[in-house]
Amino acid sequence: MIIDELMKYAAPEAGTQVIKDIRIGLGYTCVELSGGGCGLAYTFRRDTGHTCSVLGTAGTLLGLPVSDMLTWARSDNIIKAALGLATINALINRESPGMTRANVADALEVRKQDTFGMVGAFRPILKEIRSRVGKIYVFEEDIEDGNGYYSSDDIPRYLPSCDVIVLTATSLINHTIDSIVDHCQDAREVCLVGPSTPMCPAVFSRHGISLLAGSLVTNPALALEIVSQGGGTRNLRPAIEHVLQRI
């Protein structure tokens, strides 16, 4: 699994670090490490169940070895998986050679005749891409009547025909990324996008991903505050920088 490869890649960075702070917000989950790193991952709030407690170990996590929380990325508990991915991002998402601040829609190598696929609706990207490609497929878990999107069940049928694909990094949290990537083998461009994205070319280059569009947390204290107040991507703008890395 790709998540196992990411865990293996990030593990040496953990060292003796411990968890300094955690916020599980309605939009994002944020993890700050004792070494100063800070990472984000999406919160699947609709999938947390109907009990008042979604994490049995709540209240005991500060001071936990980072190497322990790292392994949660593989959990079937959607909150633990988000904490694990945020920990991976806190360890490895840092400034590195080849990173740029370009607009992701501009960076996508699309052509007028292309069939464009998007797994997870990123509306700002869609708005810019619509006039630049021939056909668009957007796949979502929750489809509203009349929105023109396709069910995720339709991915095996339509995604293999797409020339350019944008894939949400939340697929790492719900463990669907491996099966989705299997249907991207013929695409010319595959972009993994969102603040949940681990900026790890070493891993994703082995799976046909050609572009990473993620975030670096530049103000951990502010990011933690925004997340704990239910903030989303737009609210986080003062605390993060969106970055691109071509593989």
Side-chain angles (χ1 to χ4, degrees), residues 178-197:
D178 294 87
S179 60
I180 295 171
V181 166
D182 284 344
H183 299 295
C184 300
Q185 300 305 310
D186 295 328
R188 186 179 69 253
E189 173 99 293
V190 181
C191 175
L192 190 67
V193 67
S196 303
T197 302

Side-chain angles (χ1 to χ4, degrees), residues 10-245:
E13 302 292 330
T16 59
Q17 292 187 77
V18 297
I19 302 299
K20 180 180 178 182
D21 204 348
I22 284 174
R23 308 293 170 89
I24 302 172
L26 295 174
Y28 281 95
T29 292
C30 189
V31 174
E32 185 181 19
L33 312 182
S34 59
C38 188
L40 295 163
Y42 181 74
T43 302
F44 279 93
R45 63 180 181 272
R46 294 182 182 178
D47 300 325
T48 57
H50 301 286
T51 65
C52 63
S53 177
V54 297
L55 200 61
T57 51
T60 68
L61 301 180
L62 302 191
L64 187 75
V66 169
S67 56
D68 287 354
M69 186 162 286
L70 189 66
T71 66
W72 289 13
R74 211 179 189 281
S75 176
D76 290 330
N77 178 308
I78 204 74
I79 295 300
K80 292 182 74 172
L83 285 165
L85 183 59
T87 302
I88 290 173
N89 290 339
L91 287 168
I92 67 176
N93 282 13
R94 61 174 70 97
E95 192 72 43
S96 63
M99 280 187 178
T100 67
R101 268 73 176 170
N103 182 302
V104 62
D106 292 337
L108 290 170
E109 296 181 351
V110 297
R111 303 167 186 168
K112 193 65 177 178
Q113 70 274 21
D114 279 344
T115 297
F116 180 82
M118 178 174 280
V119 182
F122 290 89
R123 289 172 180 82
I125 298 176
L126 269 178
K127 184 178 180 180
E128 295 190 46
I129 287 292
R130 284 193 184 279
S131 63
R132 296 167 52 195
V133 298
K135 186 174 180 60
I136 294 178
Y137 291 104
V138 181
F139 304 93
E140 274 279 37
E141 288 284 343
D142 299 317
I143 299 178
E144 299 174 6
D145 290 341
N147 67 6
Y149 295 168
Y150 292 79
S151 165
S152 56
D153 293 336
D154 292 321
I155 285 175
R157 180 179 180 184
Y158 296 112
L159 197 63
S161 67
C162 294
D163 303 292
V164 177
I165 297 169
V166 170
L167 169 60
T168 173
T170 62
S171 58
L172 287 161
I173 303 169
N174 62 16
H175 309 310
T176 59
I177 189 168
D178 294 87
S179 60
I180 295 171
V181 166
D182 284 344
H183 299 295
C184 300
Q185 300 305 310
D186 295 328
R188 186 179 69 253
E189 173 99 293
V190 181
C191 175
L192 190 67
V193 67
S196 303
T197 302
M199 302 301 291
C200 189
V203 168
F204 291 113
S205 62
R206 298 195 287 264
H207 298 279
I209 306 295
S210 56
L211 182 65
L212 299 174
S215 299
L216 307 181
V217 178
T218 55
N219 189 330
L222 182 57
L224 288 161
E225 183 176 346
I226 291 168
V227 166
S228 65
Q229 294 178 20
T233 306
R234 185 173 299 178
N235 304 101
L236 281 163
R237 285 177 181 172
I240 65 176
E241 284 190 355
H242 296 298
V243 293
L244 302 179
Q245 192 156 26

